[in-house]
Amino acid sequence: MTTMMTTPHRFVRLLASVMSEPEARLAAAHGADIIDCKNPAEGALGALACSVVASIREAVPRHVPVSATIGDLPAHPATVVRAAAAMAATGCDIVKIGFFPGGDAEATIRSLGQEIAPHTPLVAVLMADAPLDLALVAHLGDAGFAGVMLDTAVKDGRTLCDHRTPAELGRFVGEAQAAGLFAGLAGSLRVGQIPELLALEPDVLGFRGALCTGRDRQQALDAAAMSAVRRAIPHEFERTPSLEIAS
């Protein structure tokens, strides 16, 4: 069984979102710490076909964790659990679930905790450009989730930092870590924002658009852009807890 834990004094992990096996190979070769399977054409957390996720997991070195999103689904427990179970069956290391406005987030979290979390690490994604209920963070910890990320639902050129102040982002990171979760920040992040985000001591920084040709999240990953982001995130950023995957 795959489990996840936090360890102190390590580094901020670079999560690179990819939409194909060739992109996954490129991201891994250029230093991505986590390969994230996502279909940008289908929304903020658009899902790739399970067969594609399985091929990406086979293509990427085993020491590099592979996460996968389940799509922009409403928080209906049965629907979300079914999608999460199907994605977990691909062999990916982490399943990511977005929580958008509407539905029953607490009931969905409980169901995922009971049915999926015991055998597959789960990461919740909350939306910074929607009303943010930080009380959900404690529920995620109680349900056995591994981590929680903050992202943006609408991809309109604005970034996470346009929607939330450094103080708000710092509070999110602190609440996540206090709940025993790793904390991730994403949302159209730019290379120039990395230093201020590192100062907040998250565990993960997630990227898609900044890694692509023309900074267009629906275009292909670009090796030079990937390298630029990797250089901006030190492999060792002291005082930052990090996640580890262990079998």
Side-chain angles (χ1 to χ4, degrees):
M1 184 176 77
T2 303
T3 57
M4 187 177 297
M5 65 188 74
T6 58
T7 53
H9 309 297
R10 295 292 296 278
F11 54 85
V12 176
R13 298 231 174 177
L14 164 57
L15 178 149
S17 292
V18 306
M19 58 182 183
S20 66
E21 184 180 324
E23 285 196 350
R25 290 182 184 275
L26 185 152
H30 286 78
D33 298 305
I34 304 169
I35 301 298
D36 180 50
C37 302
K38 182 187 297 183
N39 184 356
E42 295 294 331
L45 298 176
L48 290 175
C50 289
S51 60
V52 175
V53 175
S55 71
I56 288 172
R57 177 59 279 179
E58 286 298 316
V60 171
R62 290 304 310 181
H63 71 275
V64 179
V66 171
S67 64
T69 60
I70 65 168
D72 292 6
L73 301 178
H76 299 155
T79 300
V80 173
V81 167
R82 186 165 52 248
M87 196 56 73
T90 66
C92 67
D93 303 286
I94 303 163
V95 174
K96 290 172 62 184
I97 298 99
F99 287 88
F100 299 87
D104 190 336
E106 291 186 23
T108 301
I109 290 167
R110 287 195 300 271
S111 294
L112 288 164
Q114 293 165 0
E115 300 189 42
I116 308 296
H119 55 79
T120 301
L122 298 177
V123 172
V125 183
L126 307 183
M127 301 302 149
D129 51 351
L132 181 59
D133 182 5
L134 285 181
L136 289 178
V137 173
H139 292 299
L140 293 166
D142 292 340
F145 275 60
V148 59
M149 297 187 69
L150 200 56
D151 203 336
T152 54
V154 179
K155 306 300 181 181
D156 58 3
R158 290 180 292 175
T159 76
L160 177 71
C161 299
D162 294 316
H163 294 286
R164 298 288 166 176
T165 66
E168 289 174 317
L169 296 177
R171 181 183 174 201
F172 166 79
V173 169
E175 297 235 1
Q177 293 170 349
L181 304 165
F182 78 78
L185 301 176
S188 302
L189 302 181
R190 298 170 184 160
V191 176
Q193 294 171 325
I194 291 175
E196 63 181 296
L197 295 172
L198 289 175
L200 300 174
E201 301 192 1
D203 302 302
V204 173
L205 290 179
F207 297 86
R208 172 65 194 178
L211 308 178
C212 296
T213 303
R215 292 191 296 187
D216 182 343
R217 67 192 299 267
Q218 296 197 37
Q219 296 299 313
L221 252 61
D222 177 77
M226 180 74 208
S227 294
V229 172
R230 176 71 275 177
R231 287 193 300 271
I233 301 175
H235 279 283
E236 300 233 358
F237 185 67
E238 292 189 358
R239 298 179 297 131
T240 302
S242 171
L243 65 121
E244 273 190 9
I245 301 289
S247 296

